[in-house]
Amino acid sequence: MVLHSAPYTSACLHFLDGLSWMLVFPCYWLLDRLLASCVATSLEKQRRSQDPCSFLSLCILVSVPLYLLLLLALLPFALLGFIVWAPLQAVRQPYLYTYRRPDKHQAEQGQAGPGGAGTGEWRPQGRNFCFCSANVCLLPDSLARFNNLSDTHRRAREVGRRIRNGASRPQIKIYIDSPTNTSISAASFSSLTTGFRHTSSLDQRPDQTPTTNGPADTEPEPPTECPIHPPGAADCPIHPPAGDQFPTHADAVPPAGDCPLHPNGTSSSDCPAHSTGEADCPVHAPSSHDCAVHAPSNHDCAMHGDVAPKPDCPLHASGVQISISAPEPDPDEEETGNHREAGGGDSMTASRESLARYHGDGGIGISSNNTLSHVPRTSVFKRPGRKRRHGDETFEHDVSAFFPANLDFLALQEVFDHGATSRLRRQLHRYFPYVLSDVGRYGWKGCCSRFKFLNSGLMLASRYPILDARYECYPNGRGEDALAAKGALFAKVHVGTSHQEQRVVGYLTCTHLHAIEGDSSVRCQQLDLLLQWGSEFRQSSSRPEGEKVLEDLVAFDVLLGDLNFDNCSSEDKLEQQHSLFSQYKDPCRLGPGEDKPWALGTLLEPSGLYDDDVTSPESLQKLMENEEGRKEYLVFPPSKTPSSSQRGRKIPLRGNGRRIDYLLYSDEGLQPDWKLDIEEFSFVTQLAGLTDHLSVAMRLAVSTGEDEP
């Protein structure tokens, strides 16, 4: 399948399209500004009320007549351009595929190889993949104001920057080798500050001051409690004062008489590192790899040799190893602020989370040999982790101020504005090599009987190579929704190759359904078409291109998008009982009409978008973790919203708001022994102040049932 890397197959058609749009664009821009002047956001209304004679009010009074005069003057040229532009849309490609070669650092980190993110040999134990969906509301500025949002182009740039900053954060993985210590849980969603520079040693941690996207000022922090001597000792022989070289490395090993554990005058019976009678001190061993304090692994411990380490060994941590991958900051970053106020003000303090999660009473510190040693928690941790498990849930779920680290696939909705699309795509390409954008049709085309002023608004970004893609337009749009070419984007991605030279692939479906409330029958028809088109796409793309080509192995089938109905509203019963949920699984759903207790609504109340409590990712995160905050800032189904006469009374609301953004997965079509399991599910607040939706993210583990050789 040949992907469309240009909007037209002919350079001549491309030239005519650009020329005609040059004639149309001035009137389009003037009309957009004219309408935007008439629709004010709540922030603008607040400013005008505080200062009625402000410069902003004066500009509106002057600009509106000027816009109107220029619009009338340029209207003939726009009509001429429209006559040429509209017929060209019938032969325009349904999407634009762009590829940007990964930079050198991404290739070194293994985050994006020559063909993307790790498309090499498929590991027998399988892999995990991270998916995210977000409605970013990048409409033309005049239309975005009806959702209480403005400045679409600035928001598009900032949306792309925040997604990239969140996804390219270092990712921590914690492995527990000792069965006696299970107090640390794996935290693949763990968040670090964006300024944490990649280093091979983990004796550095992010500075506790606000950081930007540049390198953070970090410095080693020696452990505050030594495992060799009892607490309160003044001079530790193992941990000298800060700045001195560690005395137990092989290249700095003192003679036996100057052993740092039993200096001159101290008998071996008093040595805390080995028992009485041992001939060889385990600290100053002959070679560096035998160093008891900086052993490469637990089995190299000079205290135990090849024997499994004891849980109370004083020279190393109890079998806990951590690994970290940290992309370098982008050297071409134009602005250093990670989060900005919705009104375009100063940079906000970047949200930070703990370096690792902990449970129980013991704290954990990081030593220079990539192991964890027991130290007071205050030396590393700022607050407990937010991840939770509810009841018998098999995966972790949380509200996160960051997009998940190492994000693999991103589906966006409502990317309608052409200028915003270009700016957003440019930002995303700094992390995602493969992007499908400008999806949909304009004008008249096939099943889309009405003229389409806007495309589908869909965008799909991937770290893995895209093999095939298809767009389909919903033919049954009504009202204002019929002005946009809403539909479904299907993609097939290459995620690996088996040892038998079979391609391992995944299927993605990105969609945005009809939005008008009360039109349940329209959405159900669109869901029927979605399932039909998806089945046809998988069948057509799975056929081998030649006789010698082996059949593809399917790793996952994931549906992402804004479905514009929730699972708790009485008005959405038809959609809740649709066959879609028998083919795809919803991690947040218990059954028709009932969500899991931890599931959150994803639609924010537009009137509160500029409140101080919701303009930063971290503050919005705290609100979403609080029941009163959810009731105030999330949109609830109409039948569950307290009436004005009941306002002020404590009325229990069923559910946690309208959850209309979905991540669904299907295990149909997988290999017999393959299995899909959810590792983590998150509601993401990093786009606070930029859109009226919460983002949703999911990490899916694909296991093959084989053991790693």
Side-chain angles (χ1 to χ4, degrees):
M1 178 67 182
V2 178
L3 297 170
H4 307 303
S5 57
Y8 294 96
T9 57
S10 169
C12 179
L13 295 177
H14 192 276
F15 172 77
L16 289 176
D17 179 81
L19 180 62
S20 60
W21 183 246
M22 286 178 59
L23 297 174
V24 173
F25 179 76
C27 276
Y28 166 81
W29 184 84
L30 289 169
L31 181 61
D32 183 54
R33 299 316 308 159
L34 183 63
L35 295 176
S37 302
C38 301
V39 183
T41 64
S42 60
L43 181 63
E44 293 171 344
K45 292 178 181 178
Q46 180 182 3
R47 291 175 178 175
R48 293 177 190 176
S49 63
Q50 295 174 352
D51 186 8
C53 299
S54 64
F55 179 74
L56 180 61
S57 302
L58 182 61
C59 287
I60 293 176
L61 293 176
V62 174
S63 61
V64 169
L66 182 61
Y67 289 153
L68 187 58
L69 289 175
L70 291 176
L71 180 64
L72 295 175
L74 296 174
L75 191 57
F77 299 96
L79 291 176
L80 178 62
F82 182 80
I83 292 174
V84 178
W85 176 83
L88 289 175
Q89 305 314 303
V91 294
R92 183 185 178 93
Q93 302 296 348
Y95 60 81
L96 180 64
Y97 166 76
T98 53
Y99 166 71
R100 180 187 176 187
R101 185 179 300 276
D103 58 34
K104 180 180 179 181
H105 178 74
Q106 285 178 314
E108 290 177 355
Q109 293 297 322
Q111 294 178 356
T119 56
E121 185 175 355
W122 181 261
R123 295 177 297 184
Q125 73 274 22
R127 290 183 183 175
N128 61 48
F129 303 93
C130 189
F131 308 85
C132 182
S133 177
N135 185 316
V136 291
C137 196
L138 294 178
L139 289 152
D141 195 57
S142 57
L143 300 180
R145 288 172 175 269
F146 289 98
N147 290 342
N148 202 22
L149 293 165
S150 64
D151 203 353
T152 297
H153 289 182
R154 181 196 65 83
R155 287 192 297 112
R157 243 187 335 261
E158 186 66 16
V159 164
R161 184 178 293 113
R162 291 194 191 182
I163 293 174
R164 177 170 52 87
N165 288 345
S168 60
R169 290 176 298 109
Q171 179 185 10
I172 280 186
K173 293 182 179 180
I174 302 180
Y175 305 94
I176 302 175
D177 297 329
S178 172
T180 61
N181 184 1
T182 58
S183 62
I184 307 172
S185 62
S188 57
F189 269 27
S190 297
S191 299
L192 300 175
T193 56
T194 56
F196 192 84
R197 179 176 290 276
H198 172 74
T199 174
S200 59
S201 174
L202 291 183
D203 58 353
Q204 297 184 356
R205 62 186 178 91
D207 193 2
Q208 299 305 320
T209 58
T211 62
T212 63
N213 290 334
D217 296 331
T218 58
E219 59 180 5
E221 179 177 346
T224 58
E225 181 179 338
C226 178
I228 299 297
H229 62 70
D235 298 324
C236 173
I238 294 295
H239 304 103
D244 294 347
Q245 184 178 4
F246 203 97
T248 56
H249 285 293
D251 55 358
V253 172
D258 297 329
C259 175
L261 287 181
H262 42 82
N264 294 335
T266 303
S267 64
S268 61
S269 61
D270 298 327
C271 176
H274 58 73
S275 58
T276 307
E278 289 185 352
D280 298 328
C281 175
V283 175
H284 45 77
S287 60
S288 60
H289 69 272
D290 292 327
C291 177
V293 180
H294 298 95
S297 65
N298 295 335
H299 297 290
D300 294 329
C301 178
M303 294 289 294
H304 308 110
D306 295 332
V307 183
K310 298 179 180 180
D312 56 350
C313 175
L315 289 180
H316 61 72
S318 54
V320 181
Q321 299 284 336
I322 72 174
S323 64
I324 184 171
S325 61
E328 292 281 353
D330 192 342
D332 299 329
E333 187 66 43
E334 298 174 354
E335 300 180 27
T336 58
N338 185 39
H339 306 300
R340 297 185 177 274
E341 294 181 352
D346 297 332
S347 301
M348 295 183 179
T349 301
S351 303
R352 292 190 300 273
E353 296 182 4
S354 302
L355 187 62
R357 313 289 183 179
Y358 73 97
H359 300 283
D361 296 329
I364 300 165
I366 300 181
S367 63
S368 59
N369 65 328
N370 289 12
T371 63
L372 299 181
S373 57
H374 296 282
V375 300
R377 70 181 65 170
T378 55
S379 64
V380 173
F381 298 103
K382 299 297 291 183
R383 61 172 181 241
R386 298 180 183 273
K387 295 188 180 301
R388 303 176 178 88
R389 294 197 183 195
H390 189 277
D392 298 331
E393 203 70 76
T394 59
F395 59 89
E396 292 180 333
H397 47 82
D398 71 340
V399 181
S400 174
F402 287 100
F403 282 93
N406 291 339
L407 179 61
D408 295 310
F409 306 102
L410 174 69
L412 301 177
Q413 301 87 46
E414 292 196 10
V415 189
F416 288 113
D417 186 81
H418 182 72
T421 300
S422 301
R423 289 166 172 79
L424 178 58
R425 182 174 56 229
R426 192 179 305 117
Q427 290 291 330
L428 293 180
H429 262 313
R430 296 183 181 180
Y431 178 80
F432 294 99
Y434 309 92
V435 175
L436 294 174
S437 60
D438 201 10
V439 180
R441 302 281 189 181
Y442 299 93
W444 295 277
K445 174 67 179 180
C447 67
C448 302
S449 57
R450 297 186 181 182
F451 188 89
K452 303 298 179 183
F453 291 93
L454 300 172
N455 61 12
S456 70
L458 301 176
M459 179 180 284
L460 182 64
S462 171
R463 294 174 65 205
Y464 291 86
I466 299 175
L467 301 175
D468 194 2
R470 179 186 299 176
Y471 159 77
E472 298 287 350
C473 176
Y474 293 129
N476 60 342
R478 293 181 183 176
E480 61 269 22
D481 255 28
L483 301 178
K486 285 189 174 181
L489 175 65
F490 304 92
K492 178 181 180 180
V493 292
H494 182 202
V495 297
T497 304
S498 71
H499 61 279
Q500 297 177 346
E501 299 302 323
Q502 286 180 280
R503 290 189 310 188
V504 182
V505 301
Y507 289 99
L508 301 169
T509 301
C510 179
T511 189
H512 189 188
L513 296 187
H514 186 71
I516 300 178
E517 294 183 4
D519 287 346
S520 295
S521 59
V522 175
R523 283 186 287 272
C524 286
Q525 293 173 11
Q526 293 178 349
L527 290 176
D528 292 337
L529 291 173
L530 184 68
L531 294 178
Q532 175 187 337
W533 292 335
S535 177
E536 293 173 354
F537 174 74
R538 288 187 292 272
Q539 290 179 3
S540 62
S541 62
S542 63
R543 296 173 182 172
E545 299 177 357
E547 295 181 358
K548 297 183 180 180
V549 178
L550 298 176
E551 185 179 357
D552 294 333
L553 301 177
V554 179
F556 56 80
D557 180 6
V558 176
L559 189 152
L560 316 90
D562 181 354
L563 302 187
N564 273 314
F565 67 86
D566 65 81
N567 192 44
C568 295
S569 298
S570 57
E571 292 84 356
D572 296 333
K573 287 185 177 180
L574 286 178
E575 297 96 318
Q576 296 164 9
Q577 299 173 356
H578 195 271
S579 59
L580 171 77
F581 296 103
S582 62
Q583 182 172 337
Y584 287 87
K585 298 179 180 179
D586 183 356
C588 302
R589 170 183 163 114
L590 286 174
E594 185 178 7
D595 274 347
K596 295 181 179 179
W598 52 265
L600 297 184
T602 58
L603 187 59
L604 298 172
E605 182 63 48
S607 60
L609 293 179
Y610 298 103
D611 290 358
D612 293 337
D613 293 336
V614 298
T615 52
S616 71
E618 199 163 54
S619 60
L620 181 58
Q621 175 195 28
K622 293 178 181 178
L623 281 175
M624 294 299 103
E625 292 175 335
N626 180 273
E627 183 178 1
E628 295 301 322
R630 293 193 294 267
K631 289 182 180 180
E632 184 174 359
Y633 288 102
L634 287 179
V635 174
F636 280 79
S639 60
K640 301 183 180 67
T641 303
S643 62
S644 58
S645 60
Q646 296 174 324
R647 193 162 297 171
R649 295 176 55 190
K650 293 184 178 180
I651 300 175
L653 300 179
R654 184 182 177 186
N656 290 316
R658 296 201 67 198
R659 184 175 61 89
I660 64 175
D661 297 273
Y662 289 79
L663 287 174
L664 311 178
Y665 69 99
S666 173
D667 52 11
E668 296 182 7
L670 301 183
Q671 299 303 113
D673 296 333
W674 289 25
K675 183 181 178 182
L676 297 180
D677 292 299
I678 299 177
E679 291 187 346
E680 291 151 322
F681 194 97
S682 287
F683 296 90
V684 182
T685 64
Q686 194 167 1
L687 298 184
L690 301 177
T691 180
D692 57 347
H693 286 246
L694 295 181
S695 307
V696 288
M698 172 180 69
R699 196 176 296 275
L700 196 64
V702 183
S703 57
T704 62
E706 302 179 21
D707 295 330
E708 186 175 10

